[in-house]
Amino acid sequence: MIFNITSAERSIRKQYLYACRYAFSVNQLQRKTRFLKMKTIALVCLVMCLTFGMASSHYYYGKGLMSVLSKQAEALYRGLAMVTSEDGDVLASHHDHGYHGYRHRVAFTAVTSSSTTYSSGTTIPFTTVKSNYGHAYNSGNYRFTAPSNGVYVFSWSIATHTSYYGHTKLMKNGSTYHQSHCSSGYQQCGATVTIILNKHDQVWLASDSSSLYVYATYSSFSGWKLN
């Protein structure tokens, strides 16, 4: 039996085909991400596509169903556009390696590049930058400068030598915000803290021992903005 397809029905088909295409695309990308939002969107897309297929096969097009499908298609289209905008790192082209999606985010990780000792109060130079979204970390003076007011998290891990203590301190605008004390020995020591920063506040890590030994590449400093 052959049915005549109206222009409105064709429009609905196109919007649902768009949803289906993105659903399968997101499913493929889920192999590389654990974002719950993307999994939910993919499931919703697939369910709606299935619903549309069933409605088409049984020719249930009436004014009520057409209205519902039209609204669902529009909402789904807007939802996918919003997810693409907010989580562009997941749906971004492989050519930009996902960086485009982080343009409004702030996060960094840096590690030391040489093994040496530092006297008390000396800034620990995390010179090798692993990531620096938002460019708030300065690898020249080893300081993080808050780009805006908000709650931030900082975490550090120092690989120490058996003959030295692993005392470090997190500095905020020249004052000690938090200290981490570790006994001598081959070990990783550090801490993770939350801190409220105003725009232009600076944070860095310094030695809190008269002689702090830091192993290269095994010692790291990270930070990111929560909100």
Side-chain angles (χ1 to χ4, degrees), residues 85-174:
S85 175
E86 293 182 353
D87 298 308
D89 51 303
V90 178
L91 298 180
S93 167
H94 66 277
H95 294 297
D96 60 17
H97 301 285
Y99 185 84
H100 180 72
Y102 292 103
R103 62 188 181 281
H104 299 307
R105 304 182 185 183
V106 178
F108 79 94
T109 292
V111 300
T112 52
S113 57
S114 61
S115 300
T116 187
T117 57
Y118 302 95
S119 58
S120 182
T122 302
T123 300
I124 300 174
F126 294 92
T127 55
T128 303
V129 178
K130 296 292 187 179
S131 61
N132 193 14
Y133 302 115
H135 305 286
Y137 178 75
N138 188 329
S139 58
N141 59 14
Y142 321 117
R143 296 186 179 190
F144 173 90
T145 302
S148 59
N149 300 348
V151 179
Y152 293 79
V153 177
F154 292 94
S155 179
W156 65 97
S157 178
I158 303 297
T160 62
H161 190 276
T162 185
S163 302
Y164 299 85
Y165 290 99
H167 302 343
T168 56
K169 55 185 177 181
L170 187 72
M171 307 296 295
K172 174 188 174 183
N173 297 331

Side-chain angles (χ1 to χ4, degrees), residues 19-35:
C20 290
R21 184 178 64 182
Y22 267 86
F24 287 111
S25 176
V26 170
N27 267 331
Q28 291 179 347
L29 289 168
Q30 283 175 357
R31 297 174 184 176
K32 299 181 180 180
T33 181
R34 295 181 180 179
F35 289 152

Side-chain angles (χ1 to χ4, degrees), residues 32-98:
K32 299 181 180 180
T33 181
R34 295 181 180 179
F35 289 152
L36 179 60
K37 181 186 294 183
M38 302 312 301
K39 292 181 179 179
T40 303
I41 290 295
L43 179 60
V44 170
C45 291
L46 290 174
V47 169
M48 285 189 170
C49 289
L50 180 60
T51 301
F52 175 75
M54 292 174 64
S56 298
S57 63
H58 291 84
Y59 196 59
Y60 287 154
Y61 286 120
K63 291 184 178 180
L65 180 59
M66 284 292 292
S67 177
V68 171
L69 287 176
S70 179
K71 290 179 181 179
Q72 288 180 342
E74 182 180 0
L76 184 57
Y77 182 90
R78 291 180 179 178
L80 287 170
M82 180 181 67
V83 171
T84 303
S85 175
E86 293 182 353
D87 298 308
D89 51 303
V90 178
L91 298 180
S93 167
H94 66 277
H95 294 297
D96 60 17
H97 301 285

Side-chain angles (χ1 to χ4, degrees), residues 203-217:
V203 175
W204 64 94
L205 197 66
S207 169
D208 202 26
S209 301
S210 57
S211 184
L212 168 70
Y213 189 91
V214 178
Y215 272 111
T217 69

